[in-house]
Amino acid sequence: MENIIYDNHFNANEWFVIGIIVLGLVPIWLFPRPFSPSQITFNMLIGITFALIFDHTIAVPPFDLYDTGNQSKFELFDLFSYIMYGPYGYWFIYWYERARMYEFMTIVYILVWAGMAIGLEWMGVKTGEFHYKHGYQLMYSCPIYLLLMSIHLKMYRMAFAPDRWKRK
């Protein structure tokens, strides 16, 4: 497989990743932290894990639908592009718990967050962080975000439900 070089300078795509990480992490220290350390770890790691799973599913052969960063092969800075998803897994659950949403509003909430994810991905495309290939388009990410956010919320509820240890 041929390595495609999109850029070889520290510029907009690296600043985009750094900015997203800072914008996600700094408020965590400023806002009240209602979660236990295990809840914080779970929500941060699930964002990173989902990014890794889907990047290594649809961004590598046989699909090879997009590249991240300056070139098609993995670079050290690509690690930071995975880390940038961590704080948003945290914020996704933080605001869900804070608003105490249930039933129908949960659907609206997931749709809003998927819209924000699409917006951030669009910014990533514009800054050169994401490079689509083989006809992949931004709109194809919509069902992926909807699925992942639904799974994240379901897993969080299962893992941290107040009654999870009670016998029925």
Side-chain angles (χ1 to χ4, degrees):
M1 185 174 143
E2 180 185 340
N3 182 35
I4 302 169
I5 298 175
Y6 298 103
D7 191 1
N8 58 6
H9 300 289
F10 190 94
N11 52 19
N13 64 324
E14 287 88 3
W15 284 114
F16 171 76
V17 171
I18 291 168
I20 293 298
I21 291 170
V22 169
L23 284 173
L25 285 177
V26 168
I28 290 173
W29 285 289
L30 300 176
F31 278 68
R33 284 182 291 261
F35 299 128
S36 69
S38 62
Q39 288 172 302
I40 292 170
T41 303
F42 175 85
N43 289 316
M44 296 278 268
L45 287 179
I46 202 164
I48 295 168
T49 301
F50 283 164
L52 282 166
I53 289 169
F54 271 84
D55 266 4
H56 292 285
T57 301
I58 64 173
V60 297
F63 301 112
D64 197 22
L65 297 176
Y66 66 91
D67 293 325
T68 58
N70 289 339
Q71 50 185 298
S72 58
K73 74 175 187 175
F74 184 82
E75 297 180 294
L76 180 60
F77 203 84
D78 291 342
L79 180 62
F80 292 105
S81 72
Y82 295 123
I83 292 171
M84 76 179 175
Y85 292 97
Y88 295 94
Y90 173 90
W91 288 115
F92 176 67
I93 296 299
Y94 178 91
W95 291 112
Y96 177 81
E97 289 285 357
R98 189 96 170 161
R100 303 209 185 281
M101 282 184 230
Y102 301 103
E103 299 174 15
F104 178 74
M105 285 309 293
T106 300
I107 296 168
V108 173
Y109 184 74
I110 291 171
L111 288 170
V112 167
W113 271 85
M116 290 189 307
I118 292 296
L120 284 173
E121 186 174 327
W122 175 81
M123 288 173 53
V125 169
K126 293 300 180 190
T127 60
E129 178 57 27
F130 302 112
H131 307 277
Y132 297 150
K133 302 185 316 191
H134 308 295
Y136 191 80
Q137 297 177 19
L138 182 61
M139 68 179 180
Y140 298 157
S141 295
C142 290
I144 294 170
Y145 288 124
L146 292 171
L147 174 68
L148 293 179
M149 289 176 188
S150 299
I151 292 170
H152 180 175
L153 188 56
K154 183 68 175 171
M155 289 174 67
Y156 175 79
R157 286 177 171 171
M158 287 172 44
F160 298 103
D163 61 346
R164 71 184 181 279
W165 299 113
K166 294 180 183 174
R167 293 179 186 235
K168 298 199 181 210

